[in-house]
């Protein structure tokens, strides 16, 4: 059994796609079993049998986006309908699912054409978790059509996907506002993140990306979150808000907008990690340069001293 850890922001899991392509392109039947652990609590189990040379079984375990204060598991009927629409002729839902997983799919490689479309179909299958997650957020946004209004303001919808990382969506007559409380582990992470947020705000104001949602950052909770619990509003990185209008969710843009919202917290952490790595490499390079200069200067002085003593 092979275990791999990956993390990405692509809809299709690169590791899952690679394994499925290997099984699809294999010259002879393969009997393999893989466990993949990706960002958060997402897990894949892929298994193929020599006795079923044209089939592979894909099982998925993932937290479900919820409007409660805790992580829940289980797929609704609309989520399963979304899965059935993915390569309907190639993928079949197996019931009951493999023990410990919420969903098991049977993939029939004989139904995949041996042409250019093969990679696209396998990419779509590798995007099943993204499709489920996106459909969950779409469902929440479309079904909450009548919200309670408190003191003239629309009540926020609290959404939980990753533990301790809730975000809020506030539906208003002309726009939708997404608010992300930012929590980071180290003070240095907070400094990097705040600089990143300021760049997002400045770019939005500059008009360089006029079609992008407006971005705002505040060290204190925005007015839309008045009345929410202090536990959820206690942050060290402030609050990032995006104003989303109809043009941002029109047609194919809806999927992209939903996916970006779901991955914003992960993007912030990835940016902080990359920035810290870049700074450390620059500091190490600078230190090496200083050591070389110091060593060269010391050698030069030693040479001059030796010449003086001989004279």
């Amino acid at each position: 059994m092979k275990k791999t850890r990956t993390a990405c922001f692509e809809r299709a899991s690169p590791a899952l796609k690679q394994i499925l392509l290997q099984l699809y392109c294999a010259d002879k039947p393969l009997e393999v079993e893989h466990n993949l652990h990706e960002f958060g609590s997402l897990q894949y189990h892929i298994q193929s049998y020599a006795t079923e040379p044209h089939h592979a079984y894909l099982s998925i375990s993932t937290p479900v986006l919820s409007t409660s204060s805790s992580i829940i598991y289980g797929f609704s009927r609309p989520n399963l309908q979304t899965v059935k629409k993915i390569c309907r002729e190639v993928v079949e839902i197996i019931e009951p699912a493999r023990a410990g997983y919420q969903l098991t799919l049977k993939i029939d490689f004989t139904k995949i054409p041996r042409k250019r479309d093969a990679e696209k179909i396998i990419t779509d299958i590798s995007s099943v978790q993204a499709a489920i997650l996106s459909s969950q957020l779409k469902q929440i946004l479309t079904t909450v059509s009548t919200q309670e209004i408190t003191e003239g303001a629309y009540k926020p919808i609290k959404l939980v996907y990753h533990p301790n990382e809730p975000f809020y969506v506030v539906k208003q007559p002309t726009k939708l506002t997404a608010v992300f409380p930012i929590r980071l582990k180290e003070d240095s992470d907070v400094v990097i993140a705040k600089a990143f947020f300021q760049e997002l705000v400045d770019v939005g104001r500059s008009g360089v990306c006029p079609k992008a949602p407006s971005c705002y950052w505040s060290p204190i909770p925005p007015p839309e979150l008045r009345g929410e619990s202090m536990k959820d509003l206690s942050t060290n990185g402030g609050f990032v808000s995006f104003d989303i209008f109809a043009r941002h969710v029109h047609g194919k843009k809806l999927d992209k907008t939903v996916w970006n919202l779901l991955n914003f917290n992960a993007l912030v952490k990835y940016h902080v990690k990359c920035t810290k790595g870049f700074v450390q490499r620059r500091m190490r390079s600078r230190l090496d340069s200083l050591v070389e200069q110091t060593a060269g200067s010391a050698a030069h002085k030693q040479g001059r001293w030796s010449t003086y003593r001989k004279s």
Side-chain angles (χ1 to χ4, degrees):
M1 183 179 294
K2 181 180 179 182
K3 291 188 177 182
T4 308
R5 285 191 176 273
T6 59
C8 64
F9 302 107
E10 300 177 25
R11 289 177 177 272
S13 164
L16 177 58
K17 179 180 175 180
Q18 181 181 0
I19 292 172
L20 294 180
L21 282 173
Q22 289 175 349
L23 293 174
Y24 173 73
C25 298
D27 296 329
K28 59 181 180 180
L30 299 177
E31 186 154 347
V32 299
E33 185 175 8
H34 294 271
N35 279 331
L36 304 180
H37 300 262
E38 296 199 342
F39 183 79
S41 303
L42 172 61
Q43 296 183 42
Y44 295 108
H45 179 272
I46 308 98
Q47 190 163 17
S48 64
Y49 304 93
T51 55
E52 298 184 52
H54 303 299
H55 295 149
Y57 293 86
L58 169 62
S59 299
I60 303 170
S61 175
T62 179
V64 174
L65 187 69
S66 70
T67 55
S68 65
S69 58
S70 59
I71 302 298
I72 62 173
Y73 288 83
F75 294 147
S76 65
R77 185 175 297 276
N79 299 152
L80 295 178
Q81 291 298 326
T82 299
V83 175
K84 291 180 180 180
K85 293 178 182 179
I86 300 175
C87 310
R88 191 185 300 271
E89 297 181 356
V90 179
V91 174
E92 175 187 355
I93 297 178
I94 301 298
E95 296 181 354
R98 181 183 177 87
Y101 294 83
Q102 300 136 290
L103 179 69
T104 296
L105 304 177
K106 181 180 180 180
I107 304 171
D108 188 347
F109 291 123
T110 62
K111 300 294 181 64
I112 300 178
R114 295 275 175 180
K115 297 179 181 179
R116 297 179 183 177
D117 293 340
E119 184 171 355
K120 181 182 181 302
I121 291 175
I122 290 179
T123 300
D124 291 341
I125 297 173
S126 303
S127 307
V128 61
Q129 190 264 350
I132 293 171
L133 194 58
S134 297
S135 72
Q136 290 167 357
L137 181 53
K138 292 178 190 175
Q139 181 184 357
I140 290 172
L141 297 182
T142 55
T143 55
V144 187
S145 56
T146 58
Q147 299 187 59
E148 297 179 10
I149 300 181
T150 306
E151 297 180 359
Y154 285 76
K155 185 177 180 180
I157 307 168
K158 177 183 175 182
L159 301 176
V160 180
Y161 175 54
H162 294 297
N164 302 319
E165 292 184 359
F167 66 98
Y168 297 85
V169 172
V170 185
K171 295 180 68 176
Q172 301 179 22
T174 59
K175 67 178 181 179
L176 180 151
T177 301
V179 185
F180 295 86
I182 304 298
R183 299 178 180 86
L184 299 165
K185 293 182 179 180
E186 301 178 7
D187 292 340
S188 59
D189 297 349
V190 175
V191 173
I192 295 172
K194 287 182 178 179
F196 175 53
F197 301 149
Q198 191 59 53
E199 289 180 6
L200 291 179
V201 174
D202 292 343
V203 169
R205 291 174 177 173
S206 67
V208 175
C209 302
K211 296 182 179 180
S214 301
C215 177
Y216 307 93
W217 177 83
S218 172
I220 61 175
E224 292 88 350
L225 299 188
R226 287 176 181 170
E228 296 299 316
S229 69
M230 289 300 298
K231 179 182 177 181
D232 293 334
L233 301 183
S234 298
T235 71
N236 58 358
F239 298 81
V240 180
S241 304
F242 294 94
D243 284 341
I244 300 170
F245 294 90
R247 65 178 182 273
H248 299 129
V249 294
H250 179 70
K252 295 182 178 180
K253 292 181 180 179
L254 174 60
D255 285 334
K256 185 175 181 180
T257 299
V258 167
W259 187 244
N260 289 339
L261 291 176
L262 291 171
N263 285 279
F264 181 72
N265 265 311
L267 173 63
V268 172
K269 293 182 178 179
Y270 180 75
H271 174 80
V272 169
K273 180 180 178 179
C274 290
T275 302
K276 292 176 74 173
F278 172 76
V279 171
Q280 289 171 358
R281 289 193 299 271
R282 290 294 301 270
M283 291 177 64
R284 194 176 299 116
S285 176
R286 179 61 176 165
L287 178 61
D288 292 342
S289 177
L290 290 174
V291 169
E292 290 178 1
Q293 293 178 15
T294 303
S297 177
H300 178 68
K301 289 181 178 180
Q302 183 65 30
R304 291 182 60 186
W305 175 249
S306 298
T307 302
Y308 174 76
R309 293 184 62 183
K310 290 179 181 179
S311 63

PDB file of all heavy atoms in Angstrom, residues 188-206:
ATOM      1  N   SER A 188       5.013  36.504  12.814  1.00  0.00           N
ATOM      2  CA  SER A 188       5.613  36.774  11.504  1.00  0.00           C
ATOM      3  C   SER A 188       4.636  36.444  10.380  1.00  0.00           C
ATOM      4  O   SER A 188       4.613  37.125   9.346  1.00  0.00           O
ATOM      5  CB  SER A 188       6.903  35.970  11.333  1.00  0.00           C
ATOM      6  OG  SER A 188       6.651  34.570  11.454  1.00  0.00           O
ATOM      7  N   ASP A 189       3.812  35.423  10.582  1.00  0.00           N
ATOM      8  CA  ASP A 189       2.793  35.069   9.587  1.00  0.00           C
ATOM      9  C   ASP A 189       1.777  36.200   9.446  1.00  0.00           C
ATOM     10  O   ASP A 189       1.325  36.516   8.332  1.00  0.00           O
ATOM     11  CB  ASP A 189       2.071  33.785   9.991  1.00  0.00           C
ATOM     12  CG  ASP A 189       2.989  32.579  10.034  1.00  0.00           C
ATOM     13  OD1 ASP A 189       4.137  32.697   9.559  1.00  0.00           O
ATOM     14  OD2 ASP A 189       2.569  31.520  10.526  1.00  0.00           O
ATOM     15  N   VAL A 190       1.421  36.803  10.575  1.00  0.00           N
ATOM     16  CA  VAL A 190       0.444  37.891  10.560  1.00  0.00           C
ATOM     17  C   VAL A 190       0.982  39.087   9.783  1.00  0.00           C
ATOM     18  O   VAL A 190       0.263  39.700   8.989  1.00  0.00           O
ATOM     19  CB  VAL A 190       0.087  38.308  12.005  1.00  0.00           C
ATOM     20  CG1 VAL A 190      -0.828  39.532  11.997  1.00  0.00           C
ATOM     21  CG2 VAL A 190      -0.580  37.161  12.745  1.00  0.00           C
ATOM     22  N   VAL A 191       2.259  39.413   9.979  1.00  0.00           N
ATOM     23  CA  VAL A 191       2.871  40.546   9.271  1.00  0.00           C
ATOM     24  C   VAL A 191       2.836  40.315   7.763  1.00  0.00           C
ATOM     25  O   VAL A 191       2.465  41.210   6.989  1.00  0.00           O
ATOM     26  CB  VAL A 191       4.326  40.747   9.750  1.00  0.00           C
ATOM     27  CG1 VAL A 191       5.021  41.811   8.904  1.00  0.00           C
ATOM     28  CG2 VAL A 191       4.352  41.151  11.215  1.00  0.00           C
ATOM     29  N   ILE A 192       3.210  39.116   7.338  1.00  0.00           N
ATOM     30  CA  ILE A 192       3.215  38.798   5.899  1.00  0.00           C
ATOM     31  C   ILE A 192       1.802  38.834   5.340  1.00  0.00           C
ATOM     32  O   ILE A 192       1.559  39.373   4.258  1.00  0.00           O
ATOM     33  CB  ILE A 192       3.859  37.416   5.675  1.00  0.00           C
ATOM     34  CG1 ILE A 192       5.330  37.440   6.079  1.00  0.00           C
ATOM     35  CG2 ILE A 192       3.721  36.997   4.215  1.00  0.00           C
ATOM     36  CD1 ILE A 192       5.988  36.074   6.067  1.00  0.00           C
ATOM     37  N   ALA A 193       0.858  38.262   6.076  1.00  0.00           N
ATOM     38  CA  ALA A 193      -0.523  38.207   5.602  1.00  0.00           C
ATOM     39  C   ALA A 193      -1.121  39.597   5.460  1.00  0.00           C
ATOM     40  O   ALA A 193      -1.801  39.902   4.469  1.00  0.00           O
ATOM     41  CB  ALA A 193      -1.366  37.358   6.548  1.00  0.00           C
ATOM     42  N   LYS A 194      -0.875  40.475   6.433  1.00  0.00           N
ATOM     43  CA  LYS A 194      -1.429  41.827   6.361  1.00  0.00           C
ATOM     44  C   LYS A 194      -0.871  42.584   5.153  1.00  0.00           C
ATOM     45  O   LYS A 194      -1.599  43.351   4.502  1.00  0.00           O
ATOM     46  CB  LYS A 194      -1.121  42.578   7.651  1.00  0.00           C
ATOM     47  CG  LYS A 194      -1.949  42.113   8.847  1.00  0.00           C
ATOM     48  CD  LYS A 194      -1.649  42.930  10.094  1.00  0.00           C
ATOM     49  CE  LYS A 194      -2.519  42.497  11.262  1.00  0.00           C
ATOM     50  NZ  LYS A 194      -2.223  43.268  12.505  1.00  0.00           N
ATOM     51  N   ALA A 195       0.412  42.383   4.852  1.00  0.00           N
ATOM     52  CA  ALA A 195       1.000  43.020   3.666  1.00  0.00           C
ATOM     53  C   ALA A 195       0.315  42.504   2.407  1.00  0.00           C
ATOM     54  O   ALA A 195       0.053  43.262   1.460  1.00  0.00           O
ATOM     55  CB  ALA A 195       2.497  42.754   3.627  1.00  0.00           C
ATOM     56  N   PHE A 196       0.012  41.215   2.384  1.00  0.00           N
ATOM     57  CA  PHE A 196      -0.674  40.601   1.247  1.00  0.00           C
ATOM     58  C   PHE A 196      -2.079  41.183   1.083  1.00  0.00           C
ATOM     59  O   PHE A 196      -2.508  41.521  -0.029  1.00  0.00           O
ATOM     60  CB  PHE A 196      -0.733  39.089   1.462  1.00  0.00           C
ATOM     61  CG  PHE A 196      -1.517  38.341   0.429  1.00  0.00           C
ATOM     62  CD1 PHE A 196      -1.243  38.484  -0.919  1.00  0.00           C
ATOM     63  CD2 PHE A 196      -2.529  37.463   0.807  1.00  0.00           C
ATOM     64  CE1 PHE A 196      -1.962  37.783  -1.880  1.00  0.00           C
ATOM     65  CE2 PHE A 196      -3.246  36.760  -0.135  1.00  0.00           C
ATOM     66  CZ  PHE A 196      -2.970  36.922  -1.490  1.00  0.00           C
ATOM     67  N   PHE A 197      -2.802  41.319   2.193  1.00  0.00           N
ATOM     68  CA  PHE A 197      -4.154  41.872   2.127  1.00  0.00           C
ATOM     69  C   PHE A 197      -4.128  43.319   1.637  1.00  0.00           C
ATOM     70  O   PHE A 197      -4.998  43.736   0.862  1.00  0.00           O
ATOM     71  CB  PHE A 197      -4.820  41.807   3.504  1.00  0.00           C
ATOM     72  CG  PHE A 197      -4.933  40.419   4.060  1.00  0.00           C
ATOM     73  CD1 PHE A 197      -4.886  40.194   5.435  1.00  0.00           C
ATOM     74  CD2 PHE A 197      -5.092  39.332   3.221  1.00  0.00           C
ATOM     75  CE1 PHE A 197      -4.986  38.916   5.944  1.00  0.00           C
ATOM     76  CE2 PHE A 197      -5.199  38.040   3.728  1.00  0.00           C
ATOM     77  CZ  PHE A 197      -5.138  37.841   5.092  1.00  0.00           C
ATOM     78  N   GLN A 198      -3.148  44.082   2.075  1.00  0.00           N
ATOM     79  CA  GLN A 198      -3.043  45.478   1.648  1.00  0.00           C
ATOM     80  C   GLN A 198      -2.784  45.562   0.153  1.00  0.00           C
ATOM     81  O   GLN A 198      -3.308  46.448  -0.535  1.00  0.00           O
ATOM     82  CB  GLN A 198      -1.924  46.186   2.419  1.00  0.00           C
ATOM     83  CG  GLN A 198      -1.923  47.698   2.224  1.00  0.00           C
ATOM     84  CD  GLN A 198      -3.230  48.338   2.653  1.00  0.00           C
ATOM     85  OE1 GLN A 198      -3.698  48.128   3.773  1.00  0.00           O
ATOM     86  NE2 GLN A 198      -3.843  49.123   1.766  1.00  0.00           N
ATOM     87  N   GLU A 199      -2.005  44.618  -0.358  1.00  0.00           N
ATOM     88  CA  GLU A 199      -1.766  44.578  -1.811  1.00  0.00           C
ATOM     89  C   GLU A 199      -3.063  44.297  -2.563  1.00  0.00           C
ATOM     90  O   GLU A 199      -3.337  44.908  -3.602  1.00  0.00           O
ATOM     91  CB  GLU A 199      -0.727  43.507  -2.136  1.00  0.00           C
ATOM     92  CG  GLU A 199       0.686  43.856  -1.699  1.00  0.00           C
ATOM     93  CD  GLU A 199       1.668  42.763  -2.048  1.00  0.00           C
ATOM     94  OE1 GLU A 199       1.261  41.794  -2.729  1.00  0.00           O
ATOM     95  OE2 GLU A 199       2.838  42.861  -1.651  1.00  0.00           O
ATOM     96  N   LEU A 200      -3.870  43.361  -2.042  1.00  0.00           N
ATOM     97  CA  LEU A 200      -5.157  43.062  -2.682  1.00  0.00           C
ATOM     98  C   LEU A 200      -6.058  44.289  -2.699  1.00  0.00           C
ATOM     99  O   LEU A 200      -6.706  44.590  -3.711  1.00  0.00           O
ATOM    100  CB  LEU A 200      -5.853  41.918  -1.938  1.00  0.00           C
ATOM    101  CG  LEU A 200      -5.223  40.525  -2.034  1.00  0.00           C
ATOM    102  CD1 LEU A 200      -6.028  39.529  -1.207  1.00  0.00           C
ATOM    103  CD2 LEU A 200      -5.153  40.059  -3.479  1.00  0.00           C
ATOM    104  N   VAL A 201      -6.097  44.999  -1.586  1.00  0.00           N
ATOM    105  CA  VAL A 201      -6.923  46.212  -1.490  1.00  0.00           C
ATOM    106  C   VAL A 201      -6.413  47.277  -2.454  1.00  0.00           C
ATOM    107  O   VAL A 201      -7.204  47.910  -3.179  1.00  0.00           O
ATOM    108  CB  VAL A 201      -6.925  46.749  -0.042  1.00  0.00           C
ATOM    109  CG1 VAL A 201      -7.653  48.093   0.015  1.00  0.00           C
ATOM    110  CG2 VAL A 201      -7.582  45.749   0.902  1.00  0.00           C
ATOM    111  N   ASP A 202      -5.092  47.483  -2.501  1.00  0.00           N
ATOM    112  CA  ASP A 202      -4.510  48.514  -3.368  1.00  0.00           C
ATOM    113  C   ASP A 202      -4.747  48.202  -4.841  1.00  0.00           C
ATOM    114  O   ASP A 202      -5.047  49.103  -5.638  1.00  0.00           O
ATOM    115  CB  ASP A 202      -3.008  48.636  -3.097  1.00  0.00           C
ATOM    116  CG  ASP A 202      -2.715  49.215  -1.718  1.00  0.00           C
ATOM    117  OD1 ASP A 202      -3.636  49.811  -1.127  1.00  0.00           O
ATOM    118  OD2 ASP A 202      -1.577  49.067  -1.240  1.00  0.00           O
ATOM    119  N   VAL A 203      -4.617  46.937  -5.216  1.00  0.00           N
ATOM    120  CA  VAL A 203      -4.844  46.548  -6.615  1.00  0.00           C
ATOM    121  C   VAL A 203      -6.297  46.799  -6.991  1.00  0.00           C
ATOM    122  O   VAL A 203      -6.603  47.290  -8.087  1.00  0.00           O
ATOM    123  CB  VAL A 203      -4.482  45.068  -6.834  1.00  0.00           C
ATOM    124  CG1 VAL A 203      -4.973  44.594  -8.197  1.00  0.00           C
ATOM    125  CG2 VAL A 203      -2.978  44.875  -6.740  1.00  0.00           C
ATOM    126  N   GLY A 204      -7.209  46.497  -6.073  1.00  0.00           N
ATOM    127  CA  GLY A 204      -8.623  46.734  -6.351  1.00  0.00           C
ATOM    128  C   GLY A 204      -8.940  48.206  -6.547  1.00  0.00           C
ATOM    129  O   GLY A 204      -9.721  48.577  -7.423  1.00  0.00           O
ATOM    130  N   ARG A 205      -8.303  49.061  -5.758  1.00  0.00           N
ATOM    131  CA  ARG A 205      -8.548  50.498  -5.876  1.00  0.00           C
ATOM    132  C   ARG A 205      -7.879  51.108  -7.096  1.00  0.00           C
ATOM    133  O   ARG A 205      -8.309  52.152  -7.587  1.00  0.00           O
ATOM    134  CB  ARG A 205      -8.038  51.193  -4.615  1.00  0.00           C
ATOM    135  CG  ARG A 205      -8.842  50.883  -3.362  1.00  0.00           C
ATOM    136  CD  ARG A 205      -8.200  51.490  -2.126  1.00  0.00           C
ATOM    137  NE  ARG A 205      -8.992  51.251  -0.923  1.00  0.00           N
ATOM    138  CZ  ARG A 205      -8.587  51.556   0.299  1.00  0.00           C
ATOM    139  NH1 ARG A 205      -7.397  52.133   0.485  1.00  0.00           N
ATOM    140  NH2 ARG A 205      -9.364  51.299   1.341  1.00  0.00           N
ATOM    141  N   SER A 206      -6.814  50.492  -7.579  1.00  0.00           N
ATOM    142  CA  SER A 206      -6.061  51.057  -8.695  1.00  0.00           C
ATOM    143  C   SER A 206      -6.778  50.926 -10.032  1.00  0.00           C
ATOM    144  O   SER A 206      -6.445  51.630 -10.989  1.00  0.00           O
ATOM    145  CB  SER A 206      -4.688  50.384  -8.798  1.00  0.00           C
ATOM    146  OG  SER A 206      -4.834  49.022  -9.173  1.00  0.00           O
TER     147      SER A 206
END
